[in-house]
Amino acid sequence: IERLDLFSGFSRLPERQREVLTLALVYGYTHEELATVLCVPIGTAKARMRRGVRQLRVFFHEAALSS
């Protein structure tokens, strides 16, 4: 995955999912830390992360098929 593709994928995510993935993947926050920082239940933090990862997979799969 090229850096530009990753940036493009992240930019297509809803803000809340992008925020969770950035904190987790770039800064290494745990689920518990995400929940605390974002003032949401841990289940919400996990769900946002799952949805974001799922959407990134779809985006990269579509990008691979169009190449």
Side-chain angles (χ1 to χ4, degrees), residues 10-63:
F10 263 70
S11 68
R12 292 177 64 180
L13 292 174
E15 183 179 347
R16 290 180 174 176
Q17 292 171 11
R18 187 172 52 246
E19 178 179 50
V20 168
L21 287 176
T22 300
L23 291 172
L25 299 176
V26 176
Y27 297 104
Y29 281 41
T30 64
H31 290 121
E32 292 82 10
E33 291 169 330
L34 290 169
T36 300
V37 168
L38 300 174
C39 300
V40 297
I42 192 168
T44 300
K46 288 180 178 182
R48 288 178 185 174
M49 182 176 255
R50 262 192 319 271
R51 286 187 203 113
V53 168
R54 190 176 304 136
Q55 284 186 305
L56 283 176
R57 282 187 188 139
V58 168
F59 170 72
F60 292 128
H61 180 72
E62 290 171 354

